[in-house]
Amino acid sequence: MAHKYPSQLCRLVDRLNDGLSHFFIHIDKKVDISQFDSLKVFGDKVVFIDRFDGQWGRYGTTLPLLAGLKTIKHSLFSFDRIILLSGQDYPIKSNKEINEFFQSSPYSVFINFFPIPNLEKWPGKDRGGLYRIDKYYFGEKWCNRVASRTLNLLSIPMAFLRRRIPKEMAAYTGSAWINLDMYALNYILDFHEKNPEYLKFHRNSFVADEVFIHMIVGNSRDEGLLARMQNSEKRFIIWESPQSPHPKILQSSDFKSIKLSEDLFARKFDEEADAEILDLIDSELLFKE
């Protein structure tokens, strides 16, 4: 998923293009897609999926994920692993090392998720993160903020206005960046198709892409899914505080920590802030052989 930095996205695809991989790319509907014409050099290895307004905080980032999973499912190719990346992610292991990891790991699904409330992460008025589930969120514009606040206040005395989780599911959240196999992909899409009210509920969840998949797998009793799943995202990320809404932009000064990491990918990079860190990863990690 990307909405800016076309050259950085092209660089990401180039590094991961081992001749066996395909790239299903979502470009935010708000941007001029012609900026990303450089990706055409990869031919049929790149597929552009349906475009949505991926406004941060809203469920718009969940729609591209579902569209991508559906496109992959109906592709002519069969895939062993599906890795969700943003345009500002970057591998910190070579393609050979990534492939060897997935081939040797007893797990094929990696999702970071945990139940809420989590009072250690979100103390005080955040109520352990429950606001993600039991409060309405319509967006960041002033009119949306007013509407959210008004409806949330009215729902206190008026029980019929309160948000109710479909199927009495337990609340979970976690990292939006996930790694799936085809079994998990089909399980998620099957749940989505059989329970249309679930996506409807998350239309008004805060940062829905950090709860949508996580509640599905967190509530699952499917032995086939649970046996192949590890609670991990395989991403090197630095959060400057537990309450930070966005991860730290990685700099050259972070390279030593990145080099020591056992993760497969890292985020978040910004070539305009520090392109040297990507050059270091290339020379010291990706092309070290």
Side-chain angles (χ1 to χ4, degrees), residues 99-119:
N99 289 334
E100 287 176 348
F101 171 82
F102 284 123
Q103 288 169 1
S104 63
S105 173
Y107 304 101
S108 52
V109 178
F110 298 87
I111 303 176
N112 164 260
F113 67 104
F114 53 89
I116 49 178
N118 183 332
L119 294 171

Side-chain angles (χ1 to χ4, degrees), residues 223-242:
E223 293 183 1
L225 177 65
L226 299 178
R228 64 188 66 223
M229 188 164 60
Q230 185 181 70
N231 196 326
S232 171
E233 60 188 329
K234 311 310 295 182
R235 306 294 196 282
F236 176 87
I237 302 174
I238 295 177
W239 295 95
E240 295 182 306
S241 78

Side-chain angles (χ1 to χ4, degrees), residues 37-59:
D37 282 348
S38 57
L39 290 167
K40 293 179 180 179
V41 70
F42 299 105
D44 60 4
K45 295 294 184 182
V46 166
V47 176
F48 291 98
I49 64 174
D50 293 343
R51 300 174 67 196
F52 300 88
D53 180 356
Q55 180 185 354
W56 183 84
R58 296 298 315 280
Y59 87 134

Side-chain angles (χ1 to χ4, degrees), residues 87-99:
Q88 291 184 258
D89 290 358
Y90 208 69
I92 56 174
K93 297 289 186 291
S94 68
N95 288 333
K96 179 183 177 182
E97 289 172 308
I98 293 172
N99 289 334

Side-chain angles (χ1 to χ4, degrees), residues 165 267 273:
I165 303 175
R267 70 183 315 270

Side-chain angles (χ1 to χ4, degrees), residues 47-267:
V47 176
F48 291 98
I49 64 174
D50 293 343
R51 300 174 67 196
F52 300 88
D53 180 356
Q55 180 185 354
W56 183 84
R58 296 298 315 280
Y59 87 134
T61 48
T62 303
L63 300 180
L65 171 60
L66 289 171
L69 296 184
K70 291 175 183 177
T71 304
I72 292 168
K73 180 176 181 176
H74 298 295
S75 170
L76 297 176
F77 301 95
S78 178
F79 299 101
D80 293 320
R81 302 291 183 272
I82 301 96
I83 303 171
L84 179 63
L85 299 170
S86 84
Q88 291 184 258
D89 290 358
Y90 208 69
I92 56 174
K93 297 289 186 291
S94 68
N95 288 333
K96 179 183 177 182
E97 289 172 308
I98 293 172
N99 289 334
E100 287 176 348
F101 171 82
F102 284 123
Q103 288 169 1
S104 63
S105 173
Y107 304 101
S108 52
V109 178
F110 298 87
I111 303 176
N112 164 260
F113 67 104
F114 53 89
I116 49 178
N118 183 332
L119 294 171
E120 181 178 348
K121 183 174 179 63
W122 293 297
K125 64 180 182 180
D126 286 341
R127 299 179 298 115
L130 280 175
Y131 64 93
R132 292 170 175 253
I133 298 300
D134 63 9
K135 297 296 183 184
Y136 291 94
Y137 175 77
F138 298 138
E140 290 299 306
K141 293 181 180 179
W142 71 268
C143 54
N144 293 330
R145 284 177 171 272
V146 170
S148 302
R149 189 175 296 113
T150 300
L151 192 54
N152 286 326
L153 286 172
L154 289 174
S155 67
I156 296 174
M158 300 179 184
F160 70 94
L161 291 176
R162 296 172 191 166
R163 279 165 54 81
R164 291 177 174 82
I165 303 175
K167 302 175 71 67
E168 298 184 349
M169 297 170 71
Y172 286 82
T173 188
S175 171
W177 310 105
I178 60 178
N179 312 281
L180 307 175
D181 62 10
M182 289 302 297
Y183 187 97
L185 180 150
N186 287 317
Y187 183 90
I188 291 165
L189 288 181
D190 185 59
F191 182 92
H192 164 63
E193 291 164 4
K194 290 180 178 178
N195 302 278
E197 73 280 7
Y198 181 68
L199 177 61
K200 184 178 179 180
F201 171 81
H202 284 303
R203 288 181 63 181
N204 301 318
S205 294
F206 179 68
V207 193
D209 59 344
E210 293 183 359
V211 292
F212 185 84
I213 299 294
H214 313 79
M215 288 179 56
I216 293 176
V217 301
N219 285 272
S220 176
R221 298 296 178 266
D222 185 277
E223 293 183 1
L225 177 65
L226 299 178
R228 64 188 66 223
M229 188 164 60
Q230 185 181 70
N231 196 326
S232 171
E233 60 188 329
K234 311 310 295 182
R235 306 294 196 282
F236 176 87
I237 302 174
I238 295 177
W239 295 95
E240 295 182 306
S241 78
Q243 291 76 39
S244 298
H246 303 290
K248 176 183 183 289
I249 298 296
L250 298 173
Q251 310 281 322
S252 301
S253 57
D254 299 308
F255 178 70
K256 184 177 180 180
S257 297
I258 291 172
K259 188 174 182 178
L260 293 173
S261 172
E262 296 183 357
D263 291 312
L264 305 179
F265 301 90
R267 70 183 315 270

